[in-house]
Amino acid sequence: MIVKKSVLSPGTPFATPYYVVNSLQPGPVFMVVSGIHGNERASIRAAKSLAGRFTRKELLLRKGKLIIVPLVNQKAYRKCIRGVPDLNRTFPGSAKSRASHPLAAALFELARRYHPSWYLDLHEANGLSQKNRKRVGQTLIISPGSKAAPVARQIVKRMNESISVPAYSFNIHLRERSGTSRMAMQRILGARAVTVETCWSLSFPLRVRYQTEIVVHFLRAAGLTH
Ligand SMILES: [Zn+2]
């Protein structure tokens, strides 16, 4: 296994590190991104920590490749804001359109180069989905008819079996929203794409734990890890 750290958008104000974990065995390409919104700290921490664990070989890939971009929007992160404009509305809506932000364009180009069959976009949100179905805190968001649905449902079930506070249970949300990275990766690249949302009202360590566990479950389900 080889882990290579590189820089996305080098030499620009958007420069940010990414990691390619190569098992050196054929298999699926799996991409994980976080920090498209700069103020969603637990997801960023989880993605950074996973990249570190693969770099130190505490975690190993059995097959395929894993690409991790732990903190997409460095500028928004430094200001501790979601980001202006909202980067997750600037991704291409179809193969014929283009990203309307240079950072979204760079991230999409990276994905196009590796062509992931799995794509996880880590986020955080207000409100518990278990208490109010309109809220997306503690959800996995997929499009109606998504190929990722069976695995996403299985992982929600697995997560909920280990969650002792019922209000913190995860739910599946079905949603289409053009301009999001999830929709771009799914529509244009055909990836099984899932948005992961923890809820801000939970403690930081618990949110990091849930984010990490969900990514680990997906990696295993996709066959990249044991
Ligand atoms: Zn977000």
Side-chain angles (χ1 to χ4, degrees), residues 1 7 30 50 79 91 103 126 161 171 177 212:
M1 184 178 86
V7 177
F30 197 112
L50 281 165
K79 292 182 187 166
F91 287 84
L103 182 52
N126 276 318
E161 282 164 2
N171 291 286
R177 185 171 272 173
T212 307

Side-chain angles (χ1 to χ4, degrees), residues 37 40 82 123-124 197:
H37 294 141
E40 299 172 1
R82 183 177 172 87
H123 286 260
E124 298 208 273
E197 300 266 7

Side-chain angles (χ1 to χ4, degrees), residues 37 40 43 82 88-89 121-127 129 135-141 168-171 173 175 177 182 194-200 202 207 210-211 214:
H37 294 141
E40 299 172 1
S43 50
R82 183 177 172 87
N88 216 21
R89 302 292 178 270
D121 184 15
L122 311 183
H123 286 260
E124 298 208 273
N126 276 318
S129 62
R135 301 292 188 156
V136 296
Q138 305 297 95
T139 63
L140 300 185
I141 307 175
Y168 296 174
S169 298
F170 280 85
N171 291 286
H173 266 226
R175 182 180 276 192
R177 185 171 272 173
R182 172 172 55 89
V194 181
T195 305
V196 176
E197 300 266 7
T198 43
C199 176
W200 269 316
L202 276 57
R207 284 146 51 205
Y210 288 158
Q211 291 272 349
I214 289 169

Side-chain angles (χ1 to χ4, degrees), residues 62-205:
R62 186 166 77 88
K63 60 179 181 182
K65 275 197 192 97
L66 170 64
I67 295 114
I68 306 177
V69 190
L71 173 44
V72 173
N73 197 340
Q74 294 275 356
K75 281 172 85 173
Y77 179 78
R78 284 195 290 272
K79 292 182 187 166
C80 207
I81 58 168
R82 183 177 172 87
V84 182
D86 183 338
L87 195 63
N88 216 21
R89 302 292 178 270
T90 65
F91 287 84
S94 74
K96 286 177 185 156
S97 61
R98 301 178 67 154
S100 60
H101 190 284
L103 182 52
L107 187 68
F108 189 72
E109 269 317 300
L110 179 70
R112 196 200 289 277
R113 188 167 3 126
Y114 284 98
H115 213 99
S117 51
W118 285 92
Y119 178 81
L120 293 187
D121 184 15
L122 311 183
H123 286 260
E124 298 208 273
N126 276 318
L128 291 160
S129 62
Q130 191 67 13
K131 290 193 169 171
N132 180 344
R133 304 297 283 190
K134 289 184 179 149
R135 301 292 188 156
V136 296
Q138 305 297 95
T139 63
L140 300 185
I141 307 175
I142 53 177
S143 315
S146 165
K147 286 186 291 178
V151 169
R153 289 187 196 287
Q154 183 189 28
I155 287 169
V156 161
K157 187 166 175 273
R158 181 106 23 102
M159 289 300 295
N160 289 349
E161 282 164 2
S162 71
I163 291 174
S164 51
V165 181
Y168 296 174
S169 298
F170 280 85
N171 291 286
I172 297 278
H173 266 226
L174 298 176
R175 182 180 276 192
E176 297 264 357
R177 185 171 272 173
S178 211
T180 60
S181 77
R182 172 172 55 89
M183 291 307 299
M185 305 305 174
Q186 177 174 308
R187 279 186 192 158
I188 307 168
L189 303 182
R192 291 170 164 84
V194 181
T195 305
V196 176
E197 300 266 7
T198 43
C199 176
W200 269 316
S201 59
L202 276 57
S203 76
F204 184 76

Side-chain angles (χ1 to χ4, degrees), residues 29-55:
V29 177
F30 197 112
M31 186 163 175
V32 179
V33 315
S34 187
I36 281 183
H37 294 141
N39 57 344
E40 299 172 1
R41 302 265 161 163
S43 50
I44 295 164
R45 174 69 65 85
K48 280 185 177 172
S49 144
L50 281 165
R53 285 162 70 189
F54 277 105
T55 302

